[in-house]
Amino acid sequence: IDIVMDTELNDFQRDYLNTAHTSATQMQKLIDDLLDYSKVEAGKLTVEVTGIKLKKVVDEVIDSLKPSAERKGLEIELNFDEQINPLLRGDPIRIRQVLTNIVSNAIKFSDHGRIVTEIKRVKNFTSNELIRFSVKDQGIGISEDHVEKLFNAFTQADNSSTRKFGGTGLGLAISKKIVELLKGQMGVESKEGVGSTFWFEIPFSKSAGNGLQSGSEIHQHQAILINSNPALFKGIQQKLEKLSLPVQTSLNYQHALSRVKAARGIQ
């Protein structure tokens, strides 16, 4: 459908294809949820611990969902704690899945106002950092008697929500299970008619050497800066050095190229 929508179409054809595209997307989400939930039930849902640039993962989630928020006239805001280690160890795919689910829900159940995503380091231990993710909206909110049911499978706040907004009611149940597999916890604070704040906290282990030593993606590279704009050059150099990235300087392109050739074979 995506391919056909890139071709020349009249208004009627585009309208039909948009409807088909929406249905196909909902079907894909339904199948993904059912597959994930069946893995949860069978105890086969797995997590993988690897190097994770948390800021990059969060930015990708927000960037992918920003268009759908803007289409509803919603303002989407991100507050990311700069104290968080640039490179930690965790499961980027599962973190992305849980955060996407919560932000998507905030967009789905809001008709006005702002959605604020906050990523904050709440505890800093020698070997790990406890990171709190929270998504606050000004949407329809949830009544107190429905809050405790939210994380149950196939459940939404009430039947009218299911009719109006669609969905399987599996997203939060799967998200909670993922968070628990990652040795974290998840919860919600909500007031009907005012909005909701969904949150989860997960401990991320630190990579050896403060997250930027051998084995990290950043430290496997070196930078060669060609000095043509002194002010810009200095700013970039400082940022790279702050990331413990080795920086060399060159006066011109040819000099830089000779350094690249000399560095061939270096990991």
Side-chain angles (χ1 to χ4, degrees), residues 240-255:
L240 291 174
E241 286 173 347
K242 193 177 176 183
L243 291 170
S244 301
L245 187 71
V247 180
Q248 297 185 49
T249 59
S250 287
L251 300 173
N252 55 53
Y253 171 76
Q254 288 301 327
H255 185 233

Side-chain angles (χ1 to χ4, degrees), residues 78-167:
L78 171 63
N79 298 323
F80 192 92
D81 186 351
E82 294 300 329
Q83 290 184 313
I84 293 171
N85 203 310
L87 187 72
L88 294 164
R89 291 188 65 75
D91 189 327
I93 292 171
R94 294 302 182 186
I95 296 296
R96 188 181 286 110
Q97 184 178 356
V98 176
L99 190 58
T100 298
N101 179 263
I102 295 175
V103 179
S104 295
N105 279 350
I107 294 168
K108 180 160 69 167
F109 295 106
S110 298
D111 290 320
H112 67 277
R114 283 192 310 165
I115 293 166
V116 181
T117 302
E118 185 175 59
I119 319 297
K120 189 177 181 181
R121 185 175 75 183
V122 289
K123 287 182 183 174
N124 183 25
F125 301 104
T126 306
S127 59
N128 63 58
E129 295 184 8
L130 183 64
I131 309 296
R132 183 182 177 95
F133 300 74
S134 64
V135 179
K136 183 178 182 180
D137 65 56
Q138 297 173 306
I140 59 173
I142 306 151
S143 63
E144 203 172 318
D145 54 328
H146 283 122
V147 166
E148 59 190 44
K149 294 193 237 170
L150 269 181
F151 297 101
N152 295 339
F154 302 105
T155 303
Q156 287 189 327
D158 56 45
N159 290 332
S160 62
S161 292
T162 307
R163 285 196 299 271
K164 182 178 178 182
F165 299 103

